[in-house]
Amino acid sequence: MRSLIFLLLTGALLQSVQAAAAGADELPAIAIIGTGRVGSALGVSWGGLGHPIIYGSRTPESESTRELVARSGNARAVLPHEVAEHADVIVLALPFSAARALVPKLGSLDGKILIDPLNSLDFDGKTARVSVSETLLAEQIQALAPTAHVVKALNAVGADNMMPGRDFRGPISVPIAGDDAAAKQQVAQLIESLGLDATDVGPLFNARFVEAMAPLYVYMNFFARPPGGFEYSFSQK
């Protein structure tokens, strides 16, 4: 009888340990609002690494969205305003004007991380000029979601080069700016899991300088070099 009880207790303990280990190995879910080139690249890449992916799409049942979901591992698609209830990390991979209109509709964002890869640019192909059409994007997003942790990142990296299997040779640096150290650390880990170098450049105030890198990035990739041929890389001691 004692042997039976011992076996039962041992089996229950083993199941408990296995369940705890499985839970510890689970990667956090990531919500990505937008299924364009940036949203798709990040979703497929992080999904391939084991993160559950929740896409926010205006057409979650469309053929193209279903195809993207199928390529993203453990993934699904919902309407954009529904993503916040499913993940604590949210990527705003959509035009700035759309993001600004959507953020107030996302519901409670208390303590959630908003990764902001947003740009707002004017592009003049005739004069080969690229300029910022609106400034302080990250600070505007933070004002709309004051209890969230906004982290500026990935606004000056090519979508193709966000993929681990990219053809680009050489290191690629991604500056990140935000006011919460823990949020920046988590975002840095996500960025580095893509084979990119995350560089903490300080508080969200400095996001204005990160955003100012985008016009030069676009100019170099559209007028000076082939698309995807120019990336930023920082040397650090």
Side-chain angles (χ1 to χ4, degrees):
M1 185 67 176
R2 289 181 179 178
S3 298
L4 178 59
I5 293 174
F6 176 77
L7 289 173
L8 291 173
L9 290 175
T10 302
L13 179 61
L14 180 59
Q15 289 178 349
S16 177
V17 171
Q18 289 174 335
D25 291 338
E26 289 180 359
L27 295 174
I30 303 173
I32 300 176
I33 305 178
T35 56
R37 294 184 69 242
V38 170
S40 299
L42 292 175
V44 171
S45 297
W46 281 325
L49 293 172
H51 288 274
I53 302 296
I54 301 96
Y55 288 106
S57 170
R58 291 175 297 176
T59 56
E61 299 299 328
S62 70
E63 182 178 352
S64 60
T65 302
R66 290 200 305 269
E67 187 272 336
L68 175 60
V69 166
R71 292 191 291 118
S72 304
N74 178 14
R76 56 197 172 105
V78 299
L79 292 171
H81 67 274
E82 297 174 341
V83 300
E85 63 186 275
H86 300 294
D88 291 328
V89 178
I90 302 169
V91 183
L92 301 174
L94 67 170
F96 173 65
S97 59
R100 184 169 52 188
L102 177 64
V103 167
K105 303 175 183 178
L106 291 179
S108 176
L109 295 172
D110 292 353
K112 294 184 183 291
I113 297 174
L114 296 185
I115 300 178
D116 164 16
L118 302 168
N119 289 311
S120 182
L121 303 175
D122 285 329
F123 185 94
D124 189 337
K126 293 182 179 180
T127 60
R129 291 182 178 177
V130 186
S131 60
V132 175
S133 58
E134 190 161 353
T135 60
L136 311 184
L137 310 186
E139 291 184 44
Q140 291 188 57
I141 296 298
Q142 185 68 83
L144 293 170
T147 61
H149 304 307
V150 175
V151 178
K152 188 75 187 187
L154 296 166
N155 68 302
V157 181
D160 290 342
N161 290 332
M162 295 177 186
M163 309 285 283
R166 59 185 169 271
D167 294 329
F168 188 86
R169 295 182 180 180
I172 299 175
S173 296
V174 179
I176 62 174
D179 292 334
D180 186 87
K184 284 194 290 184
Q185 183 177 16
Q186 187 168 348
V187 173
Q189 290 173 348
L190 289 172
I191 290 171
E192 289 173 353
S193 73
L194 303 178
L196 304 171
D197 298 330
T199 302
D200 186 344
V201 297
L204 196 66
F205 178 89
N206 289 347
R208 65 193 67 201
F209 309 124
V210 179
E211 292 166 0
M213 294 169 63
L216 178 60
Y217 179 87
V218 173
Y219 172 84
M220 291 298 293
N221 278 293
F222 279 87
F223 297 112
R225 297 186 184 181
F230 174 88
E231 294 288 355
Y232 288 108
S233 179
F234 307 142
S235 297
Q236 302 180 62
K237 293 181 68 175

